[in-house]
Amino acid sequence: MSFFSVVMPVYNAGEYIGKAIQSVIDQTFIDWELIVVNDCSTDDTSLIVRSFVDRDKRVKFYERSQNSGSAYIPRKEAILKSISPWIVSLDADDWLESSYLEYIYKRILDTDVDIVLQRMFLTLDGKDILLTIPNDGFDISQIISGEEACMKTISGWEISAGGAAITTDLYRKVWEQEKNLYIGMNADELLTRRLFLYARRVTFSSGKYYYRQRNDSITRKFSIKWFDVLDTDLLLDRLIKAHFGEDSEEALRTNCQICNNMFGCAVLYSRFFHQMKPLERKKVRWRIKESWKQVRWKELKQHLPFLKYEMGRWSFTLLMFIVFIRSYAKR
């Protein structure tokens, strides 16, 4: 049994995965295993991973027989294959500094926590650092409750779960309690919030996790999956209300997030309208409307710009009409 299981879902990451795996092998803390689950890649990903398996027995490689279409499923499979007490997630196009696991290990020894978070450095294609989460002014020595950690991810990610170290028991507890978890594009974000809410205590280490924002990433090219955030928000809204109460400050913050993402998706819908098939347009418009109906407009009056508030609260049809007019005007 290794102390850490580093889990890595992978799909067509041949260009980057070598650096990700090497960053684990180069760790100063050596009591780890790396579990890679391939989601039916069509490039040279398998060959690259197998070359590392031949060199280091701590690297374990599994291949799915069918593509899942979501990183959530192969990541979950990797976690379920682990017998280590701690799980560290690493995406195939990201990498860790060499002391990463050592920093986490020392923090675990010093604290009684369920989750250890790190600083994530957002890079553009692995070069320029765009931003750091949490920012430099954030006190990483603190220990906070899981509830506090959850709310630091609502209406903006003040903290990041990228590369988080989480106890295996906590993952299993969440999956035992929540049988039907969402597996859309933002499934990992929803799971992160569930893990935080089930956690007793959360702390931070000084380890550096490097996140590669790729120019060819799904998050930069248009995809229907972008609109999955609407479904995620509605599920998150139910989760937060059930945990904190419908009239809580936490529910208000979630309501703000639903509203902002609804507006954002309405703008995306207008921008990429002609790239969608008629049935896709119909489904996406319905999803945006369901999100609009979920917004509790009265409580947002003091939290939105006046024009945005008035534009949104009266009529969904009017809202979409104005969004389309503004979109065409900008073109």
Side-chain angles (χ1 to χ4, degrees):
M1 182 191 298
S2 303
F3 189 83
F4 291 113
S5 285
V6 182
V7 297
M8 182 187 297
V10 58
Y11 176 73
N12 286 356
E15 184 178 354
Y16 309 106
I17 194 170
K19 182 171 184 175
I21 295 177
Q22 191 62 51
S23 76
V24 180
I25 292 175
D26 291 342
Q27 290 297 303
T28 55
F29 183 88
I30 63 174
D31 189 13
W32 55 262
E33 66 173 352
L34 172 62
I35 303 175
V36 182
V37 176
N38 183 22
D39 202 15
C40 300
S41 296
T42 57
D43 63 357
D44 59 350
T45 292
S46 292
L47 291 174
I48 295 171
V49 178
R50 291 187 186 281
S51 70
F52 283 99
V53 172
D54 292 338
R55 283 179 271 164
D56 196 318
K57 64 181 181 180
R58 294 173 297 177
V59 181
K60 317 290 175 59
F61 186 46
Y62 302 91
E63 301 211 54
R64 288 178 47 80
S65 60
Q66 185 176 356
N67 179 262
S68 69
S70 169
Y72 179 92
I73 293 176
R75 194 189 313 277
K76 182 176 181 179
E77 288 188 11
I79 293 169
L80 292 177
K81 291 180 184 297
S82 167
I83 59 171
S84 303
W86 284 83
I87 301 293
V88 174
S89 293
L90 173 62
D91 286 343
D93 46 4
D94 301 337
W95 71 98
L96 314 173
E97 68 165 324
S98 60
S99 300
Y100 192 81
L101 296 181
E102 184 174 349
Y103 285 132
I104 296 174
Y105 179 70
K106 290 178 178 178
R107 196 67 176 135
I108 290 171
L109 294 183
D110 292 338
T111 59
D112 177 26
V113 296
D114 297 316
I115 299 176
V116 182
L117 304 177
Q118 285 62 241
R119 275 204 167 95
M120 184 178 77
F121 291 76
L122 179 65
T123 72
L124 182 59
D125 273 333
K127 299 173 183 176
D128 299 328
I129 295 176
L130 304 178
L131 60 89
T132 304
I133 306 173
N135 61 37
D136 291 337
F138 187 89
D139 178 14
I140 62 171
S141 68
Q142 63 183 303
I143 299 174
I144 61 177
S145 70
E147 292 179 343
E148 289 178 90
C150 178
M151 295 317 300
K152 290 183 182 296
T153 72
I154 307 295
S155 292
W157 291 79
E158 184 182 347
I159 60 177
S160 169
I166 301 174
T167 64
T168 307
D169 286 344
L170 187 58
Y171 275 108
R172 296 183 187 276
K173 182 178 179 181
V174 169
W175 284 326
E176 285 173 5
Q177 297 295 323
E178 310 287 348
K179 299 296 184 182
N180 300 311
L181 293 187
Y182 173 66
I183 58 172
M185 181 179 175
N186 308 100
D188 285 328
E189 295 181 6
L190 186 62
L191 175 62
T192 293
R193 274 69 175 255
R194 291 186 187 277
L195 289 164
F196 282 149
L197 290 179
Y198 277 89
R200 298 170 301 113
R201 288 146 57 92
V202 177
T203 194
F204 306 83
S205 86
S206 55
K208 297 178 182 177
Y209 182 97
Y210 292 94
Y211 175 90
R212 184 193 304 270
Q213 181 171 296
R214 293 156 45 187
N215 282 319
D216 63 343
S217 169
I218 188 173
T219 57
R220 296 180 67 83
K221 287 184 177 180
F222 171 71
S223 169
I224 290 296
K225 290 185 176 182
W226 281 357
F227 299 99
D228 284 357
V229 68
L230 298 170
D231 303 324
T232 306
D233 278 349
L234 296 184
L235 291 170
L236 178 63
D237 186 51
R238 294 178 201 166
L239 178 68
I240 296 300
K241 286 178 180 176
H243 193 88
F244 294 100
E246 291 200 7
D247 298 322
S248 63
E249 180 67 24
E250 291 81 2
L252 171 61
R253 289 183 61 184
T254 308
N255 192 28
C256 290
Q257 176 168 306
I258 293 172
C259 180
N260 288 329
N261 283 337
M262 182 275 297
F263 270 107
C265 285
V267 172
L268 288 174
Y269 178 76
S270 67
R271 284 182 57 196
F272 298 101
F273 182 82
H274 296 292
Q275 294 186 31
M276 291 184 278
K277 298 175 182 177
L279 184 58
E280 289 176 334
R281 295 172 189 165
K282 184 177 180 180
K283 289 181 177 179
V284 169
R285 185 182 175 90
W286 179 85
R287 292 165 78 183
I288 297 172
K289 187 172 184 179
E290 287 300 300
S291 185
W292 175 82
K293 287 160 59 177
Q294 191 70 18
V295 176
R296 297 186 290 184
W297 290 100
K298 286 185 179 179
E299 66 182 30
L300 293 183
K301 187 172 184 179
Q302 305 301 321
H303 300 273
L304 292 177
F306 176 77
L307 290 178
K308 189 174 185 179
Y309 173 76
E310 292 296 328
M311 183 173 70
R313 75 186 182 101
W314 288 110
S315 161
F316 177 73
T317 302
L318 176 62
L319 166 65
M320 296 303 290
F321 175 76
I322 294 174
V323 167
F324 266 83
I325 292 298
R326 293 184 64 185
S327 178
Y328 279 106
K330 287 184 178 180
R331 294 175 192 174

